[in-house]
Amino acid sequence: MASARRLLLAGGPDAMTLSAVAADIGVTHANLIHHFGSAAGLQSALMGSMVADLNQALTTAVARLRTDEGAPLELVNAVFDAFLEGGAGRLAAWIAMSGDLSHLEPVREAVQDLVHAIGEKMGEGGHARERIGSAVLFIALTAFGESLIGDPLRNMLDQPENATRSVVASLLPYFVGKAEV
């Protein structure tokens, strides 16, 4: 998984082939086929690994949401880091463009777990789940967009590197009902 992630981040989705991973870790292509079944299997496993990393980062951030004013930015940073540095944005785009969205199934459970965890930490139920779902959607879509086109778009608009994260973090309280609209 570390090799596949490294190749993805260095060269994009096209660089993360079974042959390239096999060469990088010193095994045969057939060995990887035996383990993952196909390139799609490797891609799905990598997404699962990235989602697990995202869940771990989010668990820490969510625990601080109720008690720390900086927590919304910490939560936003965790998601953005997973999409940018963790490579989840590139991999998700690749999977989406392939048309086989079944490889995104590991993301479904992680996103639902995040909504549930935020709801538990916020001590709210019912209508709050819809608001929290909207917040998670907003954070994830923005992080996804930032991972794909953030640098050039911010440069066109003469915005600093942290502009997108700051905007998202400042709007998060409105989604979860912590501020008046």
Side-chain angles (χ1 to χ4, degrees):
M1 290 294 87
S3 173
R5 184 183 301 228
R6 196 171 41 254
L7 290 167
L8 172 71
L9 294 176
D14 292 335
M16 191 191 73
T17 65
L18 287 172
S19 296
V21 172
D24 188 49
I25 62 174
V27 300
T28 66
H29 180 269
N31 193 326
L32 287 182
I33 292 282
H34 174 74
H35 188 71
F36 293 105
S38 65
L42 174 63
Q43 295 159 11
S44 185
L46 180 58
M47 180 58 93
S49 172
M50 291 174 165
V51 167
D53 291 348
L54 174 61
N55 277 339
Q56 184 176 358
L58 293 176
T59 298
T60 302
V62 167
R64 294 186 53 208
L65 275 176
R66 288 286 280 165
T67 60
D68 186 343
E69 291 299 318
L73 182 57
E74 184 178 322
L75 178 62
V76 168
N77 283 337
V79 175
F80 273 61
D81 288 348
F83 275 85
L84 291 163
E85 286 117 39
R90 284 184 176 190
L91 186 61
W94 185 25
I95 289 171
M97 295 300 288
S98 78
D100 187 358
L101 301 181
S102 68
H103 298 294
L104 291 175
E105 268 311 302
V107 177
R108 174 189 305 277
E109 186 176 330
V111 168
Q112 291 172 348
D113 287 348
L114 174 60
V115 170
H116 181 72
I118 293 172
E120 284 180 350
K121 293 298 179 186
M122 302 303 286
E124 300 178 22
H127 187 63
R129 181 170 171 78
E130 182 180 326
R131 290 191 325 265
I132 293 167
S134 295
V136 170
L137 176 65
F138 178 64
I139 295 167
L141 285 174
T142 308
F144 179 72
E146 176 74 15
S147 73
L148 299 179
I149 194 167
D151 283 338
L153 187 55
R154 278 186 281 97
N155 289 337
M156 287 177 212
L157 298 169
D158 197 29
Q159 295 291 308
E161 186 175 338
N162 66 344
T164 309
R165 292 175 187 229
S166 296
V167 168
V168 172
S170 71
L171 293 174
L172 187 57
Y174 293 104
F175 281 102
V176 295
K178 291 298 200 182
E180 296 298 318
V181 178

